[in-house]
Amino acid sequence: MEERYDPKKIEERWQRFWDQNKTFKVTEDASRPKYYCLEMFPYPSGRIHVGHTRVYVIGDVVARYKRMRGFNVLHPMGWDSFGLPAENAAIKHGIHPEKWTLENIAYMRDSQLKRMGLSYDWDREVTTCLPDYYRWNQWLFIKMYEKGLAYKKRSYVNWCPSCATVLANEQVEDGLCWRCSSVVTHRELEQWFFKITAYAEELLAHCDTLTEWPERVLTMQRNWIGKSIGVEVDFTVDGLGEKLQIFTTRPDTLFGVTFMSIAPEHPMLDALIAGKKQADEVRAFCQRVMRLDKAARTDGKQEKEGVFTGAYAVNPLNNEKVPVWVGNFVLMEYGTGAIMSVPAHDQRDFEFAKKYNLPVRIVIQNAGKDLNTAAMKEAYVNDGAMTSSGPFDGISNVQGKEKVADYVEKKKIGKRTKNWRLRDWGVSRQRYWGTPIPIIYCDACGTVPVPEDQLPVKLPTDVAFTGKGLSPLVESGSFSETKCPKCGGPARRETDTMDTFVDSSWYFLRYCSPKEEKAPFDKKAAGYWMNVDQYIGGIEHAVLHLLYARFFTKVIRDLGLYEGDEPFQRLLTQGMVVKDGAKMSKSKGNVVPPDVIISKYGADTARLFALFAAPPERDLEWNVQGVDGAYRFLHRIWTLIYKYHQGILKVKAAAKEAQGDPLYRKTHLTIKKVTEDIEREFHFNTAIAALMEMVNEMYEYTADGVSENKLPVLRSAIETLTLLIAPFAPHFAEELWESLGNKTSIANAAWPQHDPEAIVAKSVTVVVQVNGKVRSKLTLAVGTSDKDIEAAALADPKVKEHTNGKAPKKVIIVQGKLVNVVV
RNA sequence: GCCGCUGUGGCGGAAUUGGCAGACGCAAGGGACUUAAAAUCCCUCGGGGGGCGACUCCCGUACCGGUUCAAUUCCGGUCAGCGGCACCA
């Protein structure tokens, strides 16, 4: 054993050892319990910083701990490697996206991740931008096409002018592009969609089964799916005879309808205004509204505006004629694109009615204070008794909702229905660096999927990256011109590529059998490894990746490829890494690359600090002095062990016979504490604090030298400490483990178990309170009876002083903890 | 506006089932070692008061109130910060 702790030498040595011995390679083994530990795989942007590595360190501790607990641990790593930055680099620097990407991967793998000492089975590395992976994206796309789950439609879609591509709804945040924050505009385009709405009900219902997910994420998913239950009702357009269908969640207010509002895009609009004197004004209004971008259009603060179409519709419940307006706040995408307006009981309708002087009719009466239309300052949206509602007068509106719905269905003027906020997932991207959509268009045969035996449709390499005009795939004649697989005639390929979120929607299944050539993954292998027992990643994916991956798992299940409803058993969303008060990011200029920390302190120090400074789900302030502290801790252990190294090698570690020795007791208390802290919500910070306490106690124990007969106890403490620190500081632990005479890797050593008898104390300190205030402490033998405890407490001089001679009213005793004398 | 989370020393954080508030670490101050420094080791370290002193008393977990022998923990209200949703019919 070297006198000084030299992380550089140690870490290089053990990383080589793990690589050469394939220490973390795993295969299916039915005789052992499996554990699948997965961190969200990275986009290989080039250089990562400690903000990125935090998640891998957290996952690595889990994986190493579970391995020592005897689990067959699958812990893979790969690359989410399709995406825009590669293409932008190509445009800017003239490097092909593939070259740029693969070089980044090599650097990140070999110079950053491997140097952190992460226990991955690198033989399972998955790289989504390579044909052996993306061919299965294409295969899955075709399967989904065959089942009607992938379809093409012309519609208004989100367009990011800066990224020059379409975005899915989930990728628009506050009207801005999730990646570059440009204002998202609307475009009418023909696009491929995945029918995620077909799974809306199940995606929502199964949220209830994800009991080991953070409630926050589930709330976000439930909000995003946005189920609302209501009624569709047909109003008849006066003079036209056509049905104008509306959706409402408030059928109880149907008698309060005083006008209707439709979206500017509503298909019936032309018919409504045909021949009316308002026609030109309405058209001008609609064009003005439709020109607005998505953010402006859906901003709730925007004033409600509208224009009368000149048409009337008949309310089927009371046969009243009400005017039909166009409203700027009515959305074509939600419901039926038309609403009934009840100004008395809907705030938007109320504002609209006030602005345009439309009538207000109260149909729900406030039980506390009678409403009257003249005095109303805002809509009354609470419950009450129905009024002016024909046969429903007098009943509560809560019951009324059901009764009116029954009535509507009986009269066949509408039906109960559900509406979803969730939209189908638009997956077409007008860019090069993604999976080509495996579809061919033939003038004779129409849309034809590429036959399975012709997969993969590879990305062409002979393309130019100009950054101008259309995607390189459109410009590449050799790619788009092809033959129809059906009739052999001339045809052209789809030139759009898939959203990169498709890649990450099933990669966790691919890890189970990454080399499989006949299917996306081997069903048996997936049956063994899935689900992912622990998934770890950022909260930013709460409704993106995590929703898509759940959807894909269900689709894959229904294709008969996998038996299981949900991919991720337990989810941990780690906090971000903050420095100087801001999230670590390249643009803020506050990044700390792991390489720098590793060179100066070593990976074990970097790991220890990241784990100690905050619990995993909370944000972590990166602070150099804190890193020093972690470094000091490792040195302190090393120095202590070095001092007694020769001595303890001559003895066997203490066992039961040492019960009663204070260090032996501390050793076993620490085993218990560290194990519980890891098992309970991965509280690594307190687990490491417990190790520090143990080391402090070892220093005290050895302060006046160690006699021969204490060496076995010291040896057991040192061995235990080495094992307990192994998941956190693995290189450090390996080196010490070897120096203690062990021939095999500590990664496969058994996690220690605490001896319950060793931690039993003979005596306990009992807090003595008078009227709830601590006044004294007593040291009593364990098992002292309540009667004796009370007597001891009352005999205590401090107690006598504070009770002032008064007799106790009550004495509360909590065994082994506290006595409270109440006077 | 609605929903959720959070609020503890100079700082990061701990207190697991209602039972000693501030574990552990950082920073700071003092001391030992050293020609000196670094490193290391030891001590002090929430605020205020009293005592020469071993000590001791009061206050304190955003704020106000409640339940309880006992509240950082449970309940009600207020404030602040963060996050999500939001013209969704």
Side-chain angles (χ1 to χ4, degrees), chain A residues 125-355:
Chain A
E125 187 174 355
V126 159
T127 307
T128 61
C129 68
L130 297 178
D132 69 343
Y133 185 84
Y134 72 67
R135 70 170 292 176
W136 299 111
N137 280 345
Q138 295 173 339
W139 187 87
L140 287 165
F141 186 99
I142 289 165
K143 293 288 159 201
M144 288 169 77
Y145 176 78
E146 287 166 357
K147 293 197 76 171
L149 291 170
Y151 67 97
K152 202 174 191 190
K153 76 171 176 198
R154 193 168 186 84
S155 70
Y156 285 94
V157 291
N158 308 304
W159 178 265
C160 173
S162 165
C163 298
T165 189
V166 161
L167 299 172
N169 276 13
E170 288 80 4
Q171 293 153 21
V172 181
E173 295 166 350
D174 289 333
L176 305 178
C177 171
W178 72 292
R179 193 187 294 106
C180 69
S181 298
S182 308
V183 173
V184 173
T185 59
H186 269 183
R187 267 200 185 187
E188 197 186 5
L189 281 175
E190 210 176 0
Q191 295 283 297
W192 284 95
F193 287 86
F194 284 156
K195 207 181 232 168
I196 190 169
T197 53
Y199 287 83
E201 193 79 73
E202 202 189 349
L203 285 166
L204 181 68
H206 283 176
C207 281
D208 295 340
T209 69
L210 300 173
T211 53
E212 293 177 282
W213 280 39
E215 200 48 48
R216 200 151 71 105
V217 174
L218 293 173
T219 304
M220 282 161 79
Q221 292 223 348
R222 290 188 184 110
N223 278 343
W224 189 264
I225 295 167
K227 179 180 182 174
S228 63
I229 298 167
V231 178
E232 275 174 7
V233 183
D234 295 330
F235 282 56
T236 308
V237 179
D238 189 43
L240 210 64
E242 283 198 55
K243 303 257 187 272
L244 182 57
Q245 192 176 57
I246 59 98
F247 172 75
T248 181
T249 55
R250 293 292 305 272
D252 52 320
T253 63
L254 260 163
F255 286 86
V257 176
T258 55
F259 61 102
M260 301 186 70
S261 309
I262 65 170
E265 294 91 348
H266 200 283
M268 208 185 280
L269 188 73
D270 282 336
L272 291 177
I273 59 174
K276 301 277 186 344
K277 65 178 193 303
Q278 293 93 336
D280 288 343
E281 192 196 342
V282 173
R283 274 194 209 98
F285 174 81
C286 292
Q287 268 164 25
R288 183 160 61 78
V289 174
M290 283 156 69
R291 250 201 312 273
L292 291 173
D293 61 50
K294 180 149 180 134
R297 184 77 186 273
T298 56
D299 179 5
K301 289 180 211 63
Q302 192 183 253
E303 199 182 345
K304 282 137 203 64
E305 284 186 88
V307 59
F308 178 44
T309 59
Y312 290 85
V314 179
N315 182 341
L317 271 88
N318 58 11
N319 291 319
E320 266 182 34
K321 254 169 54 173
V322 290
V324 180
W325 286 61
V326 179
N328 65 342
F329 61 95
V330 186
L331 305 172
M332 195 60 224
E333 308 94 84
Y334 189 81
T336 59
I339 59 172
M340 62 179 211
S341 295
V342 185
H345 306 293
D346 180 289
Q347 187 56 26
R348 284 159 311 176
D349 297 343
F350 184 83
E351 287 169 30
F352 198 89
K354 285 284 151 199
K355 185 176 165 92

Side-chain angles (χ1 to χ4, degrees), chain A residues 311-544:
Chain A
Y312 290 85
V314 179
N315 182 341
L317 271 88
N318 58 11
N319 291 319
E320 266 182 34
K321 254 169 54 173
V322 290
V324 180
W325 286 61
V326 179
N328 65 342
F329 61 95
V330 186
L331 305 172
M332 195 60 224
E333 308 94 84
Y334 189 81
T336 59
I339 59 172
M340 62 179 211
S341 295
V342 185
H345 306 293
D346 180 289
Q347 187 56 26
R348 284 159 311 176
D349 297 343
F350 184 83
E351 287 169 30
F352 198 89
K354 285 284 151 199
K355 185 176 165 92
Y356 295 107
N357 253 323
L358 293 157
V360 177
R361 183 192 297 156
I362 292 160
V363 291
I364 309 287
Q365 196 47 262
N366 184 349
K369 184 165 153 262
D370 266 9
L371 300 165
N372 79 74
T373 50
M376 278 175 94
K377 293 264 181 318
E378 57 182 13
Y380 178 74
V381 296
N382 297 325
D383 292 333
M386 291 173 71
T387 178
S388 306
S389 297
F392 303 98
D393 275 2
I395 64 173
S396 96
N397 73 307
V398 180
Q399 290 168 20
K401 276 183 192 171
E402 298 306 318
K403 294 223 156 114
V404 175
D406 289 342
Y407 179 83
V408 163
E409 289 190 328
K410 204 175 84 201
K411 291 275 174 183
K412 297 200 185 343
I413 49 176
K415 60 174 197 297
R416 282 187 169 87
T417 183
K418 287 169 217 155
N419 249 299
W420 306 90
R421 216 186 76 97
L422 183 71
R423 309 256 71 87
D424 276 341
W425 173 14
V427 293
S428 297
R429 294 292 178 273
Q430 292 68 41
R431 300 295 300 223
Y432 168 81
W433 195 232
T435 306
I437 291 175
I439 292 288
I440 289 168
Y441 302 106
C442 167
D443 286 339
C445 310
T447 302
V448 183
V450 174
E452 264 181 57
D453 59 8
Q454 289 175 28
L455 294 179
V457 178
K458 285 197 189 175
L459 281 169
T461 48
D462 58 335
V463 295
F465 297 94
T466 59
K468 294 185 192 96
L470 299 165
S471 132
L473 292 183
V474 183
E475 310 277 346
S476 165
S478 63
F479 177 79
S480 62
E481 284 161 27
T482 188
K483 273 191 225 146
C484 172
K486 260 194 191 160
C487 68
R492 60 199 162 74
R493 283 188 194 282
E494 169 66 64
T495 52
D496 282 350
T497 51
M498 291 182 212
D499 183 2
T500 55
F501 277 102
V502 175
D503 310 345
S504 51
S505 290
W506 65 279
Y507 75 112
F508 41 89
L509 286 158
R510 183 72 183 169
Y511 279 138
C512 298
S513 48
K515 309 269 193 311
E516 173 63 47
E517 288 179 358
K518 297 196 168 58
F521 54 90
D522 177 61
K523 191 173 180 179
K524 248 179 80 185
Y528 177 78
W529 291 114
M530 287 292 285
N531 296 351
V532 174
D533 292 276
Q534 179 66 55
Y535 198 34
I536 310 168
I539 187 81
E540 66 272 19
H541 287 295
V543 283
L544 287 159

